[in-house]
Amino acid sequence: MPVKVTELVGIGTVRLYKRRDARAIKITLLHDNQVRVTLPMWVPYRAGLEFVRTRQEWIKSNRRPQVFLQDGSLIGKGHRLRYQTSPIATTVSTRVLAAEVRVVMPSTHTLRDAQVQTAAKRASLRALKQQAQKLLPMRLDELAQKHGLPYASLQIKQLKSRWGSCSPQKHIALNLFLMQLPWELIDYVILHELTHTQVLHHGKDFWSKLEQYLPETKQVRKRLQTYQPAL
C-alpha cells in the first residue's frame, strides 16, 4: 500500500495511504493524534493534503486529550506499571521485570512530566513486545492447526493503525498492541489473518469463510472497532 508521510503547519504529522478499494478521500485521527488520509489510487497526494487543510478546524476539535500512563496501569497480560521516586536519582530510568514495569525518577519529577511519560511508554512497549513474542506464536499455531490454515511465517510488529496483516505469500504480521485486547478479540484478529491465507481480499467469500471459523464474527468485529492500537 503506497504511503507518504509529511508535516503540515498547525496540523502535525499526516500519513497518506493509497488503497485500491478506496472510493473517496477519508480522514481518520489516530490514537497519537496523527492524521491518516486514505486516498483512491488515482488521486494525487497533493489533493489529499489540500483536503486535510480544509478540515483543519474539524481535526483540531476532534483530537483526543493527552493520555497519561498512571501508576498501577495494567500493561498487556502480565505487567503492572509502577512509578518510584528516588532522592539519589538524577535521571529517569526503567526496568521491565517479570510482572512489573518500573519507572524510577528523581524526586523533583512527577509522572506527568514529558520525560517520565516517554520513558514509561518505551518500557511498557518493551513489556508488550516480550508478551507478544511469547504468547502470540503459540496462539497462532493453535488456531492454524485447529482450522487447517497453514501460514509461512510470523512477525511481531508495532503497527500504528492495523492489528495485523497477511501477504500473498502467507507471511503474517501481528501488532504487539494485541496484548492490550481481551483474548476473544485477539483470536478474531488471528483468525482474520489466517483466513487471508486462503482469501486475500475482503469480499463476501472472505467474510463467509471467516464466519465458518468464528460464527460471531460480526459482533466481535464491532467490539474490536472500539479499541485503538495504543497503550
Side-chain angles (χ1 to χ4, degrees), residues 15 31-32 34 121-122 124-126 128-129 132-133 155-164 173-178 229-231:
R15 296 179 175 273
H31 70 276
D32 55 3
Q34 292 186 15
K121 288 175 182 177
R122 287 176 178 170
S124 296
L125 287 173
R126 293 202 306 272
L128 288 180
K129 188 171 184 178
Q133 290 176 334
Q155 280 188 300
I156 306 297
K157 295 184 176 182
Q158 181 183 339
L159 304 174
K160 290 184 176 295
S161 59
R162 303 177 68 184
W163 294 109
L174 294 177
N175 197 332
L176 62 83
F177 285 117
L178 285 171
L231 286 166

Side-chain angles (χ1 to χ4, degrees), residues 148-191:
L149 297 170
Y151 64 96
S153 67
L154 169 65
Q155 280 188 300
I156 306 297
K157 295 184 176 182
Q158 181 183 339
L159 304 174
K160 290 184 176 295
S161 59
R162 303 177 68 184
W163 294 109
S165 64
C166 180
S167 75
Q169 294 75 35
K170 301 186 180 183
H171 298 293
I172 289 177
L174 294 177
N175 197 332
L176 62 83
F177 285 117
L178 285 171
M179 292 293 92
Q180 295 287 88
L181 300 181
W183 272 109
E184 58 267 27
L185 299 187
I186 295 175
D187 282 356
Y188 166 83
V189 173
I190 292 175
L191 284 170

Side-chain angles (χ1 to χ4, degrees), residues 9-228:
V9 176
I11 295 175
T13 303
V14 178
R15 296 179 175 273
L16 300 107
Y17 295 83
K18 289 193 174 185
R19 294 182 62 97
R20 297 187 184 279
D21 57 352
R23 297 292 179 265
I25 301 176
K26 178 183 177 183
I27 291 179
T28 305
L29 288 177
L30 303 180
H31 70 276
D32 55 3
N33 283 328
Q34 292 186 15
V35 179
R36 176 189 173 101
V37 184
T38 304
L39 308 166
M41 294 296 291
W42 52 269
V43 174
Y45 288 119
R46 64 178 180 275
L49 291 174
E50 188 57 36
F51 185 70
V52 171
R53 291 187 180 97
T54 67
R55 301 300 304 277
Q56 184 170 351
E57 291 305 315
W58 178 87
I59 291 169
K60 288 182 178 179
S61 62
N62 284 276
R63 277 188 158 142
R64 300 177 182 87
Q66 185 176 0
V67 176
F68 294 98
L69 291 177
Q70 301 293 333
D71 185 69
S73 295
L74 179 62
I75 306 299
K77 301 302 180 194
H79 289 83
R80 287 281 178 184
L81 178 61
R82 296 298 182 188
Y83 294 94
Q84 294 180 356
T85 57
S86 170
I88 62 173
T90 57
T91 60
V92 180
S93 62
T94 62
R95 288 184 66 190
V96 177
L97 305 175
E100 182 178 290
V101 176
R102 184 178 299 169
V103 181
V104 180
M105 55 188 172
S107 54
T108 54
H109 288 52
T110 72
L111 67 84
R112 286 178 170 261
D113 290 344
Q115 182 183 2
V116 176
Q117 283 293 307
T118 297
K121 288 175 182 177
R122 287 176 178 170
S124 296
L125 287 173
R126 293 202 306 272
L128 288 180
K129 188 171 184 178
Q130 289 178 12
Q131 295 176 27
Q133 290 176 334
K134 178 180 179 181
L135 298 174
L136 292 181
M138 292 190 297
R139 189 57 180 157
L140 178 64
D141 282 344
E142 289 174 359
L143 292 174
Q145 292 177 24
K146 178 180 178 180
H147 298 289
L149 297 170
Y151 64 96
S153 67
L154 169 65
Q155 280 188 300
I156 306 297
K157 295 184 176 182
Q158 181 183 339
L159 304 174
K160 290 184 176 295
S161 59
R162 303 177 68 184
W163 294 109
S165 64
C166 180
S167 75
Q169 294 75 35
K170 301 186 180 183
H171 298 293
I172 289 177
L174 294 177
N175 197 332
L176 62 83
F177 285 117
L178 285 171
M179 292 293 92
Q180 295 287 88
L181 300 181
W183 272 109
E184 58 267 27
L185 299 187
I186 295 175
D187 282 356
Y188 166 83
V189 173
I190 292 175
L191 284 170
H192 185 113
E193 302 310 333
L194 283 172
T195 302
H196 276 315
T197 64
Q198 307 297 308
V199 185
L200 277 173
H201 56 76
H202 283 118
K204 289 183 179 179
D205 50 343
F206 169 83
W207 296 109
S208 296
K209 184 168 285 291
L210 179 54
E211 287 179 349
Q212 293 176 16
Y213 312 129
L214 187 68
E216 61 273 22
T217 286
K218 291 180 181 178
Q219 299 92 314
V220 178
R221 184 186 180 198
K222 192 171 183 179
R223 284 185 59 204
L224 181 62
Q225 291 171 349
T226 65
Y227 290 84
Q228 293 287 336

